[in-house]
Amino acid sequence: MSPAFGRGVMTNHMVDMKNTDVALIMGSNMAENHPIGIKWLAEARRVRGAKIIHVDPRYTRTSVIADLYAPMRPGTDIAFLGGMVNYIIQNNLYHKEYVMAYTNASYLIADGYDFKDGIFSGYDAAKRSYNNTTWDYQYDADGTTILKDPTLTNPRCAFQLMAKHYSRYDIDTVVKITGTPKAKYLEVLKLFCSTSAPNKTGCINYAMGITQHTVGSQNVKSFANVQLLLGNMGRPGGGINALRGENNVQGATDMALLFHIIPGYIDSPISNAANKDLLNFVKAVTPGAAKLPAASMAEFRAAVTAGIPNSGFKVNTSKWVVSMLKAWWGDACTPDNDFAYHYLPKRDAAKNYSHIAMFEAMHKGEIDGLFVMGSNPVVGGPNANKEQTAMTKLKWMVSVDLWLNETAEFWTYAGWERPHGGTHHMEKITPKDIQTEVFFLPACAVYEKEGTAAQTGRWVQYRWKGAEPLGESKSDLWIIDEIAKKVQGLYKGSTKPQDEPLTKMTWGYGHGEEPEPILVGKELSGYTVADKKPIAAGFGALKDDGSTACGVWVYCGQMASKADGSLDYKPMHRDNKDNSKTGLGLFSNWGWCWPVNRRIVYNRCSVQPDGVTPWPGDDDRVLIHWDATKISDPLKPEVVGSWVGDDVCDCVKTSPPDKAVPFLMRPEGTGCFFAAKASFKEGPFPEHYEPWESPVKNMMNSQAVNPATKIWEPDKLGTTDKYPFIGTTYRVVEHWQTGALTRNLPWLAELMPNMFVEISEELGRLREIKNGDKVMVSTTRGDIEAVACVTKRIKPYIIDGKEQHLVGALWQYGFKGYATGDPANRLTPHVGDANTMIPEYKAWLCDIRRA
Amino acid sequence: MARLMTNLYDVSKCTACRGCLNACKDSNQLPAVIEPFKGNYDTHGGDTNGNTFTVMRFNEHDDPVDGVRWNFLKYQCMHCIDPECMKVCPKGAYTKLEWGATFHDEEKCIGCQYCTYACPFGIPKYRKHTDTVTKCTLCYERVGEGLTPACTRTCPTGALTFGFRDELLAVAEAKAKFLRANGFPRATVYGKVELGSGTNKIYVLTDTPDKFGLPVDPKVSANTWVWQDWVQPYAGWLIPIALAGSAISFVTTRMLASKGGNHTEGGHE
Amino acid sequence: MQWIPEYRDDVPRVERFNAVARITHWGHTVTFLLCLFTGLALFLGGVDWLATIFGGYRGAGLVHRIAAVGMTLMLVFGTVFGFKGLIAWIKDLLRFGVNDLMFIAIFPFEFLGFKVKVPPQTRFNGGEKGNSMVTPTMVILLVFSGYIMWFPSIFPAGLVRFSYPVHDLAMIFSTVMVCMHGYLGSFHPGSGESFWGMWKGTVRADWAQHHHAIWYKETYGDKSEAE
């Protein structure tokens, strides 16, 4: 979503779903994986008669409560949504004023940009990568003003190029690819596209069914194209709701628990010339600043203050970077030493540090040790056989979890049992073959510790402890704190410069037995270095001169000071009165959400371009509007005019409507149909490619798979002669992720006791499998045994006239606990999205036989 | 007579998350009964047992017009207004609480399971280690404290609600009417008039009851009511009659013998 | 007041029932009565004092089941070790004839104490034949229906449901018979001698000749007279 809107987050929030007119749930089994969240859709239905559409390869518990269910072959989302974009454009269904004012539809695209047969301009087939300089706009003579065509007729404008690109996604072609019955497909199109009406909004809720593909990022971009055309972004009941699958994964990614970023979604530095020092680094990560002549940080600072064209709000990136450095190394950061920029670890340009890459390296013996915290790759990792084997090459491993999970016990006899008679040959490994030293640190449960969690809607909520941890189990915070203190202690007294990142690291979260979460929160939220007072105003007050410190710039403003000087930690707020005057469920005083408690991002779009008039018939859903007489800062009475409303405005507060850009995190300031430059690895427009293992040829172009995806194991490509059926993985509501917790809970083990796979009655007849039979499912990566659930809820897809069958595998089982079974991830491949490396868990090839 | 209070289960809102099943186990501290998966999401064959008061039933149907349907049903004691279990229990272990729950007193129960086989829904089930039957209690202890049943409290989508039966019936009727006009032409309310006087628990179903595994017109079996209502009240009198007859014979033979002189036993002509 | 007729060993006695028959009978009596009283404690209302004797409802249930198994074992014992006697019994029942019908018709008068004249009877008179047909049948029904109710999960629900009234009715009829049989086999003047037949095994020869003339003649008397 970041290339489309500027931020890659859920744009609205859970409660806001109750304001929608039509909800499209696609790539998500919301009723099972967000069982509490779905009540807001039920509320929308109850109160405003909203309709729910569910598009999914299987008819699940979500489909039951949907008003309209449409089946779709796994991995064909771009075709499905491409057909929707084409339908909207061909039938003139797009929200015209919105598209004109708030998107880059009218922007002219550089002449060098081209697209042919699935390949965009600039492709290097040998490297499987693109040189994306041609994916750019046409500029004025000054080189910074983008040329536009307000009539949207110029064939080089983004809108026309998009129309041309999607003209190949006509309905008949699309349903041939997706296997959706044509009548159903049209019903979905008609219903969802009805939200283009100015007084209607539709939201899209998605999850792993969209992201766990080699084209995952482009799947999401397809949603963005649809929602921008329909005018649903930045409005209550609209938006794109990425349903994050863990209660604090949003927090995790905000804190940069991802290999390629530093906190706040800034690209982490690479060990190369472009990032050789702080100045070069900030030039690289600030949009539009790459060719700036500034020769020092002071000059750079001046350029930022003056404004850098085509930068957007990210022009302030240097302030966030320096504030972060200051938070981590405190006094060791000075203007003279680049604010300790050289302490920051740098990535190797040639290496990939994603999960798949890490286990590939581990398998080659390149990694000595592994911390596995609250994670269970033996069950949840792709190509689980290979990943488990990779662990045997480690010198040491530390597992941190509530129970001894499959990963902690990867070395046991039970861990290496495999079914007999599979197609995949597995070397027999016994504990004495394994030299890894394994440690287990017992962690306590979520109710036994305190701290904040950031949920999918960006709401940061503080949780209080409800019970004492059992036995010797400890909170993750305590464990990390102890390790950090001990490691720092090991280097104490060292004068070696290479040890300074540790010896000079600031680390102080209290002196008691437990680290204090509120002190961590203060560092994350930011404080002025001189007086250590929290910066309540938000990231607008951060500086790049070393006077401010802030662990995560998007969290800035979370902490304030009370009148008596004590800390006011806003995630602790619990005011459940809805501050929205029209009952939109903003609850701005419940917890705190980022950025700066803005509940719905891009909310500039909730009102017409004049900033004052609501969209016709949509008065109740205006989030902000322009008040030309209001003085927002009493200390600056000469600045008249401000954005006001029940939500925090997502634009510069005092910027008048004609200047207040709706998507300020984008350099263009608009929503982007055409994702320019380095946004995506595979292209500015989504294009349909088949999954890496697919039973059919690509009917849209002659590329088999995403041309930019890294292929880790080309020799492991399964083909239909041995593996004729489509395999996919999914969860059930009764179990949580790898089941490391839930399979140890008797009441949940009772509800879902065994590993099973779901197949259609047709496939059951084909392979003579009856409901309840034991079956063996095989891929080139491994074999598993499971019970077969032969069901009416899966039907074969008719792809280009031929039947294709699905084998749906529940992936939540392992050999520990009350409810055991083979991990389905022994089947999935080591291949992932070109941008995020998220493994393609959702579409691969397999065979199934009676065991 | 107090106003009846009950649970309304609206199938159209249920996502089968089965939080209600867990809440019931937790509230009643029932042990898990882990049985192997047989090919259906149902647990325990879709039936209650001594340690499971409520289950979720999953019924798949493939209709040529409506397409695939997956019908969920939360199955538990219906707390019938005029319960058969109460009628057949030889120890009077069942009573109706004034607010509508069918209360089973475990102290009085002898585990004969007559109620299991008399119940048109087969709900009460034998629990070996207490040698009694058990069933959903409608959380009478919670309701007594002003709370709602555990299952209702947990339900995230509002499929389960608790309140006054007459009000919930009105809500159910309105919802069924709405459903019939919106894609579910056979939507119906179940529990209003079933078994003559209705059941305390009410369902809003999106299709006919048989599509959910419920008996369409539940009846007490003839076996039970012929026995219970006609034969049992009278047949037992035969024993006292036989005893009385023997007592009379005892007296009259001796009276007549003393009249007619001494008999020796052995032959009396 | 005379209860059971006096045991006279100074007059000729003949064997009526052998050891196996008597063990089976009394074993059956004890277990049947235990089953009966525990059953009543469990299923009759207002007899809590009866349950207390057995240690409450749990205890009554336990005793009922133990006695039921005991009763089953008695039946097996009697069939296996007294097979010949069982066959003889059944053969006698198959001789049900006019003499037995007349006995049954006249018996009520005798029951009340009036003097009657009945045709000669075989080993078992008409009434005894009736009892022999009804009670064992009821006992077999009790046993089968009892086990079905004890292990309902392995039987079809309809069969289990049917077992409850079967068990109850069989209990009623067998208990009615037991009341009669118990009285007639002990306190009833005239038939009270038969008590000794089942207790010690022998009855007075003159009693036997009078009450079971055909049997006496066939077993102990001059065979030529039987013609």
Side-chain angles (χ1 to χ4, degrees):
Chain A
M1 275 193 271
S2 189
F5 311 124
R7 302 183 187 94
V9 286
M10 179 166 175
T11 63
N12 295 48
H13 57 89
M14 283 297 194
V15 178
D16 178 70
M17 287 182 202
K18 74 182 178 77
N19 301 315
T20 193
D21 294 296
V22 183
L24 171 62
I25 303 174
M26 187 163 162
S28 160
N29 187 356
M30 200 175 170
E32 296 208 40
N33 298 314
H34 293 83
I36 311 301
I38 205 163
K39 74 176 175 190
W40 295 113
L41 285 182
E43 187 72 358
R45 207 218 298 259
R46 186 182 74 86
V47 174
R48 36 185 319 122
K51 294 269 186 271
I52 302 172
I53 306 172
H54 186 222
V55 178
D56 198 287
R58 302 177 301 138
Y59 186 95
T60 65
R61 286 182 252 197
T62 304
S63 322
V64 173
I65 58 150
D67 294 284
L68 177 56
Y69 163 72
M72 186 198 84
R73 175 168 66 99
T76 59
D77 306 87
I78 292 175
F80 194 101
L81 295 163
M84 193 180 288
V85 170
N86 190 40
Y87 177 82
I88 294 170
I89 295 176
Q90 299 296 333
N91 294 290
N92 260 309
L93 290 172
Y94 54 97
H95 186 165
K96 293 182 182 56
E97 295 81 9
Y98 186 105
V99 166
M100 264 316 302
Y102 297 147
T103 73
N104 72 352
S106 62
Y107 290 25
L108 297 183
I109 307 302
D111 290 325
Y113 163 76
D114 195 15
F115 173 78
K116 218 207 283 284
D117 192 28
I119 299 287
F120 294 90
S121 44
Y123 188 57
D124 182 337
K127 292 201 196 133
R128 292 185 69 81
S129 71
Y130 282 96
N131 174 332
N132 51 41
T133 45
T134 55
W135 305 350
D136 202 349
Y137 303 107
Q138 287 180 32
Y139 297 92
D140 207 347
D142 61 14
T144 53
T145 315
I146 300 174
L147 295 175
K148 302 176 192 169
D149 170 27
T151 66
L152 296 187
T153 54
N154 186 322
R156 291 308 289 183
C157 76
F159 185 81
Q160 287 299 337
L161 283 172
M162 179 168 68
K164 182 164 169 240
H165 183 90
Y166 281 108
S167 63
R168 298 166 297 129
Y169 289 82
D170 58 280
I171 291 180
D172 288 316
T173 308
V174 166
V175 300
K176 255 204 290 190
I177 297 174
T178 67
T180 311
K182 186 169 168 182
K184 265 284 179 268
Y185 184 62
L186 278 167
E187 272 188 71
V188 172
L189 294 183
K190 283 201 177 70
L191 183 52
F192 195 66
C193 297
S194 68
T195 61
S196 77
N199 65 339
K200 286 214 190 303
T201 58
C203 66
I204 296 183
N205 297 350
Y206 78 88
M208 301 298 103
I210 284 289
T211 58
Q212 289 177 344
H213 287 282
T214 45
V215 290
S217 305
Q218 292 288 4
N219 283 340
V220 181
K221 179 63 171 69
S222 305
F223 284 145
N225 289 345
V226 167
Q227 291 294 65
L228 285 173
L229 281 171
L230 295 176
N232 284 330
M233 296 308 302
R235 299 173 62 190
I240 299 178
N241 296 323
L243 301 173
R244 308 222 55 178
E246 300 238 9
N247 71 317
N248 199 13
V249 65
Q250 182 65 52
T253 55
D254 295 342
M255 311 286 180
L257 260 71
L258 291 174
F259 63 92
H260 63 299
I261 53 176
I262 52 177
Y265 304 100
I266 302 166
D267 285 342
S268 60
I270 295 176
S271 164
N272 63 9
N275 293 167
K276 68 173 189 254
D277 56 23
L278 181 64
L279 177 62
N280 277 286
F281 176 63
V282 295
K283 277 189 184 175
V285 295
T286 306
K291 295 202 173 62
L292 221 53
S296 69
M297 278 305 293
E299 283 181 33
F300 187 86
R301 214 170 283 131
V304 167
T305 314
I308 299 176
N310 298 326
S311 188
F313 195 73
K314 284 191 185 162
V315 72
N316 297 301
T317 304
S318 58
K319 301 173 187 168
W320 310 330
V321 172
V322 173
S323 297
M324 184 198 86
L325 294 169
K326 206 67 181 139
W328 291 9
W329 287 291
D331 295 333
C333 304
T334 64
D336 302 320
N337 72 353
D338 252 1
F339 296 102
Y341 168 76
H342 58 284
Y343 289 173
L344 205 52
K346 313 286 187 297
R347 281 187 283 144
D348 186 329
K351 279 202 181 146
N352 182 309
Y353 299 84
S354 66
H355 178 101
I356 294 178
M358 186 168 76
F359 277 88
E360 288 280 332
M362 207 186 290
H363 197 259
K364 293 202 190 83
E366 292 170 11
I367 297 187
D368 285 349
L370 179 69
F371 268 90
V372 187
M373 293 192 77
S375 172
N376 194 4
V378 168
V379 175
N383 202 342
N385 277 329
K386 185 168 192 180
E387 298 206 348
Q388 191 177 359
T389 310
M391 283 186 215
T392 64
K393 314 265 170 72
L394 292 166
K395 293 212 176 74
W396 54 267
M397 191 186 91
V398 179
S399 170
V400 183
D401 212 317
L402 272 67
W403 272 275
L404 285 167
N405 60 30
E406 286 76 7
T407 299
E409 304 250 289
F410 81 92
W411 50 270
T412 58
Y413 280 106
W416 295 101
E417 278 174 21
R418 295 289 183 276
H420 297 294
T423 64
H424 173 82
H425 170 70
M426 216 29 223
E427 195 193 318
K428 188 78 182 152
I429 300 182
T430 58
K432 68 172 173 20
D433 301 325
I434 301 171
Q435 303 306 313
T436 317
E437 191 172 359
V438 181
F439 300 86
F440 185 77
L441 302 179
C444 66
V446 63
Y447 305 111
E448 298 167 339
K449 54 189 179 182
E450 269 187 41
T452 62
Q455 43 92 292
T456 183
R458 295 167 283 109
W459 290 20
V460 184
Q461 296 170 87
Y462 192 88
R463 274 107 168 271
W464 286 266
K465 195 192 241 192
E468 286 304 318
L470 285 181
E472 291 180 59
S473 62
K474 294 281 183 205
S475 67
D476 297 304
L477 183 60
W478 184 94
I479 291 171
I480 296 171
D481 185 58
E482 282 295 300
I483 291 172
K485 289 199 295 228
K486 292 248 162 37
V487 168
Q488 193 174 40
L490 288 173
Y491 286 85
K492 192 168 173 186
S494 165
T495 49
K496 291 195 232 169
Q498 63 264 40
D499 293 342
E500 283 176 7
L502 278 163
T503 55
K504 306 270 199 218
M505 177 174 77
T506 62
W507 194 273
Y509 304 110
H511 301 287
E513 262 198 47
E514 292 274 336
E516 295 175 43
I518 203 164
L519 292 178
V520 178
K522 182 174 167 199
E523 179 182 303
L524 297 175
S525 175
Y527 53 91
T528 34
V529 174
D531 59 9
K532 301 279 188 290
K533 281 217 165 53
I535 298 172
F539 42 71
L542 292 176
K543 305 257 188 298
D544 60 4
D545 59 7
S547 60
T548 57
C550 178
V552 185
W553 72 271
V554 292
Y555 282 14
C556 191
Q558 232 183 48
M559 188 82 76
S561 291
K562 293 195 205 151
D564 62 359
S566 63
L567 294 172
D568 175 19
Y569 196 21
K570 293 180 191 165
M572 288 184 176
H573 292 181
R574 288 292 187 271
D575 181 358
N576 66 352
K577 185 167 129 340
D578 185 9
N579 59 309
S580 158
K581 295 184 196 62
T582 49
L584 295 175
L586 290 173
F587 295 105
S588 301
N589 298 310
W590 179 284
W592 183 91
C593 83
W594 72 264
V596 290
N597 210 20
R598 185 177 291 138
R599 300 275 150 163
I600 296 177
V601 291
Y602 321 122
N603 53 25
R604 166 71 181 89
C605 304
S606 67
V607 75
Q608 287 206 39
D610 69 358
V612 172
T613 322
W615 294 108
D618 206 43
D619 298 47
D620 283 353
R621 289 197 288 209
V622 171
L623 290 164
I624 59 168
H625 65 273
W626 176 254
D627 182 338
T629 61
K630 181 143 167 73
I631 296 172
S632 93
D633 183 358
L635 297 173
K636 297 209 182 102
E638 69 281 7
V639 179
V640 182
S642 165
W643 288 94
V644 299
D646 293 329
D647 198 8
V648 175
C649 65
D650 196 3
C651 49
V652 176
K653 199 159 186 199
T654 51
S655 207
D658 56 335
K659 297 249 181 348
V661 293
F663 292 89
L664 50 68
M665 292 300 285
R666 283 296 312 168
E668 304 90 338
T670 62
C672 298
F673 289 117
F674 181 89
K677 288 178 263 186
S679 304
F680 283 118
K681 292 255 178 7
E682 60 273 275
F685 287 125
E687 173 70 357
H688 173 72
Y689 304 108
E690 287 287 323
W692 183 53
E693 286 188 341
S694 169
V696 296
K697 274 164 62 79
N698 190 342
M699 283 176 255
M700 201 45 90
N701 56 62
S702 52
Q703 300 304 314
V705 70
N706 182 340
T709 291
K710 186 174 166 82
I711 309 295
W712 293 91
E713 298 179 302
D715 55 320
K716 286 283 193 197
L717 177 67
T719 48
T720 51
D721 51 340
K722 278 221 192 110
Y723 305 103
F725 310 122
I726 303 169
T728 192
T729 55
Y730 53 83
R731 293 191 279 157
V732 287
V733 65
E734 292 83 1
H735 282 304
W736 177 247
Q737 304 293 30
T738 66
L741 303 179
T742 56
R743 285 183 289 106
N744 280 302
L745 297 176
W747 292 328
L748 292 172
E750 179 182 12
L751 292 176
M752 279 289 178
N754 295 120
M755 169 59 190
F756 64 89
V757 293
E758 293 182 316
I759 59 174
S760 64
E761 294 181 325
E762 289 82 352
L763 180 55
R765 278 194 285 274
L766 189 65
R767 281 279 191 262
E768 291 178 7
I769 298 168
K770 284 189 324 299
N771 196 23
D773 280 349
K774 210 145 173 229
V775 292
M776 172 107 75
V777 185
S778 309
T779 65
T780 64
R781 278 82 54 191
D783 314 282
I784 58 163
E785 274 185 345
V787 179
C789 174
V790 178
T791 172
K792 298 175 171 50
R793 294 172 291 109
I794 297 178
K795 299 258 182 284
Y797 313 107
I798 310 295
I799 309 299
D800 198 16
K802 200 160 161 275
E803 257 188 7
Q804 295 296 340
H805 294 284
L806 180 74
V807 175
L810 188 47
W811 65 267
Q812 302 179 278
Y813 283 83
F815 54 89
K816 303 287 299 171
Y818 293 110
T820 58
D822 285 349
N825 273 312
R826 290 188 182 154
L827 306 171
T828 53
H830 252 193
V831 74
D833 178 75
N835 301 282
T836 61
M837 315 296 161
I838 293 179
E840 191 161 52
Y841 291 111
K842 293 290 178 181
W844 29 273
L845 284 181
C846 66
D847 191 18
I848 183 169
R849 302 240 169 232
R850 247 196 356 257
Chain B
M1 195 183 87
R3 235 170 125 192
L4 294 181
M5 298 190 81
T6 190
N7 258 343
L8 167 63
Y9 173 67
D10 183 349
V11 152
S12 72
K13 287 186 181 169
C14 178
T15 60
C17 74
R18 301 203 272 188
C20 48
L21 269 57
N22 260 336
C24 179
K25 288 255 168 175
D26 186 16
S27 182
N28 293 294
Q29 286 295 290
L30 298 167
V33 181
I34 302 178
E35 293 167 9
F37 180 85
K38 293 224 177 56
N40 193 320
Y41 284 36
D42 284 357
T43 49
H44 315 302
D47 204 2
T48 54
N49 63 45
N51 281 313
T52 306
F53 293 171
T54 180
V55 288
M56 184 65 69
R57 286 185 169 173
F58 294 80
N59 284 291
E60 288 184 10
H61 294 281
D62 207 349
D63 187 274
V65 171
D66 300 328
V68 171
R69 283 252 189 270
W70 203 13
N71 294 327
F72 308 137
L73 187 85
K74 180 180 179 301
Y75 192 69
Q76 72 298 296
C77 174
M78 299 294 280
H79 293 274
C80 305
I81 307 276
D82 186 17
E84 196 61 24
C85 56
M86 197 165 88
K87 279 198 236 162
V88 303
C89 177
K91 296 278 93 169
Y94 287 98
T95 47
K96 287 297 279 186
L97 299 184
E98 58 167 20
W99 59 268
T102 302
F103 172 70
H104 174 251
D105 186 352
E106 267 201 58
E107 304 275 303
K108 294 197 178 139
C109 179
I110 56 171
C112 71
Q113 298 168 68
Y114 196 3
C115 53
T116 308
Y117 293 92
C119 172
F121 305 98
I123 289 296
K125 290 293 192 304
Y126 183 69
R127 177 160 57 185
K128 199 152 175 237
H129 87 267
T130 53
D131 197 20
T132 56
V133 294
T134 57
K135 68 170 193 73
C136 161
T137 62
L138 242 189
C139 282
Y140 65 90
E141 284 166 339
R142 286 177 59 98
V143 174
E145 296 288 333
L147 302 171
T148 57
C151 55
T152 312
R153 176 70 180 89
T154 299
C155 180
T157 56
L160 283 168
T161 45
F162 185 78
F164 291 111
R165 186 168 182 271
D166 44 14
E167 282 174 13
L168 289 177
L169 258 177
V171 168
E173 297 277 14
K175 185 64 190 279
K177 190 165 168 209
F178 171 83
L179 287 168
R180 280 192 289 270
N182 285 282
F184 297 100
R186 296 177 297 277
T188 180
V189 174
Y190 190 88
K192 186 172 177 195
V193 296
E194 275 67 16
L195 291 166
S197 38
T199 60
N200 208 31
K201 289 238 183 166
I202 303 169
Y203 287 132
V204 173
L205 302 175
T206 50
D207 207 330
T208 52
D210 54 308
K211 295 269 172 33
F212 291 85
L214 280 172
V216 175
D217 184 15
K219 283 187 170 46
V220 175
S221 75
N223 186 339
T224 306
W225 62 261
V226 165
W227 176 247
Q228 200 62 34
D229 299 339
W230 289 0
V231 180
Q232 200 183 61
Y234 308 110
W237 286 103
L238 287 171
I239 297 175
I241 289 170
L243 276 173
S246 299
I248 289 168
S249 163
F250 187 91
V251 169
T252 56
T253 47
R254 281 154 182 79
M255 274 167 50
L256 289 169
S258 64
K259 274 221 207 108
N262 242 345
H263 280 276
T264 57
E265 287 314 297
H268 50 98
E269 274 328 298
Chain C
M1 174 69 88
Q2 186 175 49
W3 296 91
I4 298 174
E6 194 196 322
Y7 182 75
R8 301 271 304 271
D9 60 0
D10 55 323
V11 291
R13 300 187 74 85
V14 289
E15 196 196 62
R16 180 106 167 117
F17 291 108
N18 65 23
V20 172
R22 286 179 280 134
I23 291 168
T24 306
H25 174 268
W26 291 113
H28 181 80
T29 305
V30 168
T31 52
F32 181 92
L33 288 175
L34 276 174
C35 277
L36 176 62
F37 289 119
T38 50
L40 286 174
L42 288 171
F43 289 93
L44 208 55
V47 285
D48 288 349
W49 55 268
L50 195 54
T52 316
I53 295 173
F54 295 103
Y57 294 120
R58 299 282 165 277
L62 191 61
V63 172
H64 192 83
R65 282 169 239 198
I66 294 172
V69 173
M71 187 159 89
T72 318
L73 289 173
M74 286 279 91
L75 294 172
V76 170
F77 171 80
T79 310
V80 168
F81 292 99
F83 194 67
K84 273 221 191 92
L86 179 65
I87 297 298
W89 187 13
I90 292 172
K91 276 197 178 145
D92 195 74
L93 295 179
L94 291 169
R95 287 172 78 174
F96 191 96
V98 177
N99 51 342
D100 295 298
L101 279 171
M102 286 191 64
F103 181 96
I104 291 170
I106 295 168
F107 177 74
F109 299 99
E110 204 277 331
F111 188 65
L112 291 169
F114 298 107
K115 287 204 185 77
V116 294
K117 205 174 164 76
V118 289
Q121 298 291 302
T122 63
R123 176 120 192 251
F124 297 105
N125 65 37
E128 285 170 325
K129 282 200 181 69
N131 182 31
S132 300
M133 289 188 256
V134 173
T135 302
T137 311
M138 292 300 124
V139 166
I140 286 166
L141 284 175
L142 280 168
V143 166
F144 278 110
S145 60
Y147 284 113
I148 291 171
M149 290 190 293
W150 192 354
F151 303 104
S153 52
I154 58 178
F155 295 103
L159 185 60
V160 178
R161 198 174 294 129
F162 189 54
S163 299
Y164 287 90
V166 163
H167 201 79
D168 199 352
L169 274 170
M171 179 277 283
I172 289 171
F173 287 124
S174 59
T175 305
V176 163
M177 297 312 291
V178 159
C179 287
M180 307 280 292
H181 170 81
Y183 170 69
L184 290 169
S186 56
F187 302 134
H188 184 71
S191 60
E193 177 66 19
S194 54
F195 175 81
W196 299 114
M198 191 50 89
W199 186 249
K200 289 216 193 255
T202 60
V203 289
R204 284 170 61 150
D206 54 349
W207 179 90
Q209 194 176 34
H210 178 80
H211 286 264
H212 300 279
I214 299 174
W215 171 63
Y216 185 79
K217 204 181 269 186
E218 286 174 354
T219 316
Y220 298 109
D222 192 1
K223 292 289 190 286
S224 61
E225 287 186 38
E227 286 304 312

